[in-house]
Amino acid sequence: MSTSNRPTEPDLVAELDDLDSRYEQAVERVEEFGEADLRELADVYGQFTDVLDRFEEDVTDDGGDIETNIQFQSAIAEVVEEVSEEMLLAEVFEECDEMLQQRWFHESDIREVREQLEPVADLVSRLEERDEILDSYRKTRRDIRYRIRELDEHITDLERLARLADADLDAPTETLREPIETYNDAVTDAFDSFTREASTREVFDFLDAMTDYPLVPFEKPDAELLEYVREHPPGEESIPTLLEYADYSESKLSHYVDEPNTLTRVVGRKQTYLDGLDGGPLTVSWPPPAAEELQYRCRELTAAVNRFAPDVVEQLREVAALPRTTDYERIRDAAVVREDLSEEERERIRSDDIEAELSAARTERETLEHALEGYPDR
């Protein structure tokens, strides 16, 4: 697994450290004048420059026209009238207003006003600078969290490869495969017989009971189909018969069931679900799961299989006993290497120092965790 092109630990930690320092300085620069006063100044500055931007081209285009110039001066005056004497750099706006009390304007006049406003822009930029640094700081912390998640996946992958690097490829995998295949064949045949011969109602009762067994992941029928099968006589028929009924015309179906249109509507729309019911959720995967997981799975499978095919439980017991009766993990590791690992993964096991890579990934993750703890979530 690749860990993407995100910045790595030294870059991210150095960036966070730099942003933390810059943020503290930016906060001090804001506190020097007070946030409320700076925001008041920023509001007036924004209104004043909006007027400049809106009228500049019209009033300087070949001298403009007297009506537009008056509108421009009136808009500037409205902004300046709202400026209190106590506001930071209030005098700058008054001076700019005076500079604009003329009949005609040139580009140089507007440029001179903007230059006069530069001390205001500098103070207003303190708020913008602080907020921009804070956004960057938060983004870097997010990047670190993303990087930690990537490393978690990478470490899991490396741990798996490290464990499999010493797998004994000569281990007799048939010792596990044969009893598992024997059970899988038996349980799928038995489930096929169950769904062919039992009533649909019995099958649905079984599926409903399986909701108590999360390791036996059957899909439960939807509420409408379940209610129909439980409450109407056709539910006493087998699934193949119900599917056959669903293909009949309503006139033909009326000879077999009451309310044929209801069966056509409810069952007809669920044919894919009914056709797809098979014993797959009752089987044991190959390669098999780890010993502890197999133990829990076989416990739930025993309860499930015992409901419709108790004679198959004996084969399941042989599978459940494999961790006790065989060198299970050694043989399972060999099976995983043979079946699950890609050629690229096998090459990594042969050529890479997996343990060194794993150690480096764990160290990087620990460093990033400490960085998140050391720099607060602002």
Side-chain angles (χ1 to χ4, degrees):
M1 169 189 160
S2 168
T3 53
S4 92
N5 295 319
R6 291 188 188 278
T8 53
E9 163 257 314
D11 300 323
L12 288 170
V13 174
E15 182 178 350
L16 190 61
D17 179 70
D18 176 63
L19 288 167
D20 182 69
S21 176
R22 288 170 55 201
Y23 179 73
E24 294 291 349
Q25 294 171 10
V27 168
E28 290 176 5
R29 280 166 52 81
V30 169
E31 291 176 348
E32 181 181 352
F33 291 92
E35 177 155 350
D37 289 343
L38 287 177
R39 290 208 175 279
E40 181 186 16
L41 179 64
D43 181 55
V44 174
Y45 175 75
Q47 294 179 52
F48 198 99
T49 54
D50 282 347
V51 175
L52 288 180
D53 293 340
R54 193 165 71 248
F55 282 94
E56 179 174 8
E57 184 174 339
D58 291 335
V59 299
T60 59
D61 183 18
D62 294 328
D65 63 78
I66 190 65
E67 184 178 347
T68 302
N69 292 355
I70 291 172
Q71 291 176 357
F72 171 49
Q73 290 169 328
S74 297
I76 289 291
E78 286 181 14
V79 175
V80 175
E81 283 172 5
E82 298 299 320
V83 175
S84 66
E85 293 182 1
E86 295 78 19
M87 194 185 78
L88 290 171
L89 298 180
E91 68 280 2
V92 172
F93 294 101
E94 294 170 359
E95 292 166 3
C96 289
D97 186 26
E98 291 177 7
M99 293 169 65
L100 294 171
Q101 297 306 313
Q102 54 193 62
R103 190 176 180 85
W104 308 109
F105 298 98
H106 299 286
E107 291 181 1
S108 59
D109 298 321
I110 306 300
R111 185 165 57 249
E112 187 177 351
V113 169
R114 292 187 186 279
E115 290 172 357
Q116 187 74 9
L117 286 168
E118 285 179 0
V120 177
D122 178 66
L123 287 188
V124 169
S125 71
R126 297 188 179 205
L127 288 171
E128 297 170 353
E129 177 190 31
R130 184 202 59 184
D131 293 345
E132 287 173 2
I133 293 173
L134 180 58
D135 285 344
S136 297
Y137 179 89
R138 289 171 173 169
K139 179 181 180 301
T140 301
R141 289 188 93 257
R142 286 197 301 272
D143 286 344
I144 289 177
R145 289 196 295 271
Y146 291 144
R147 177 66 180 168
I148 287 173
R149 284 201 287 271
E150 289 176 342
L151 285 167
D152 285 339
E153 294 177 11
H154 188 48
I155 287 168
T156 298
D157 182 56
L158 289 172
E159 287 174 340
R160 169 172 167 265
L161 291 179
R163 181 173 58 81
L164 296 175
D166 297 326
D168 179 7
L169 297 183
D170 295 325
T173 55
E174 65 278 2
T175 304
L176 304 184
R177 182 189 284 273
E178 289 176 1
I180 288 173
E181 287 185 345
T182 298
Y183 162 72
N184 285 346
D185 290 343
V187 79
T188 51
D189 288 346
F191 189 78
D192 287 346
S193 297
F194 176 51
T195 55
R196 280 197 313 272
E197 298 166 8
S199 72
T200 305
R201 192 172 297 163
E202 288 179 83
V203 175
F204 278 18
D205 286 344
F206 168 80
L207 296 175
D208 188 46
M210 289 304 98
T211 58
D212 293 332
Y213 300 95
L215 299 182
V216 187
F218 277 103
E219 180 184 354
K220 186 178 176 181
D222 71 12
E224 184 181 38
L225 180 59
L226 183 61
E227 180 183 5
Y228 179 82
V229 166
R230 285 179 168 170
E231 303 297 332
H232 294 76
E236 298 172 4
E237 303 290 349
S238 68
I239 288 176
T241 300
L242 271 190
L243 289 171
E244 185 177 348
Y245 281 170
D247 286 334
Y248 287 174
S249 65
E250 286 198 17
S251 59
K252 179 177 180 181
L253 186 57
S254 63
H255 297 295
Y256 297 89
V257 301
D258 296 329
E259 301 180 12
N261 58 330
T262 303
L263 186 146
T264 300
R265 176 176 58 82
V266 176
V267 178
R269 292 190 306 182
K270 307 302 177 184
Q271 285 178 292
T272 300
Y273 169 75
L274 293 169
D275 267 330
L277 282 174
D278 61 34
L282 298 163
T283 60
V284 174
S285 62
W286 182 262
E292 185 176 10
E293 183 182 345
L294 181 69
Q295 175 187 357
Y296 289 119
R297 179 156 172 73
C298 285
R299 188 177 301 163
E300 293 196 4
L301 287 174
T302 299
V305 175
N306 206 37
R307 289 174 177 268
F308 69 91
D311 54 313
V312 177
V313 171
E314 185 57 38
Q315 284 122 321
L316 180 57
R317 288 197 186 101
E318 292 184 20
V319 174
L322 289 174
R324 301 191 306 273
T325 59
T326 67
D327 191 354
Y328 186 80
E329 291 300 341
R330 180 176 71 89
I331 300 172
R332 175 181 176 273
D333 285 348
V336 169
V337 170
R338 292 178 185 177
E339 300 288 334
D340 281 1
L341 291 192
S342 65
E343 184 56 41
E344 179 185 355
E345 288 174 319
R346 291 195 188 102
E347 179 59 28
R348 287 185 67 191
I349 286 176
R350 288 192 294 267
S351 60
D352 292 356
D353 189 342
I354 300 297
E355 288 293 345
E357 191 176 345
L358 180 57
S359 176
R362 286 170 174 161
T363 299
E364 180 181 350
R365 189 194 187 288
E366 183 178 358
T367 301
L368 292 173
E369 282 283 7
H370 287 162
L372 288 183
E373 294 168 4
Y375 296 97
D377 186 6
R378 301 184 187 279

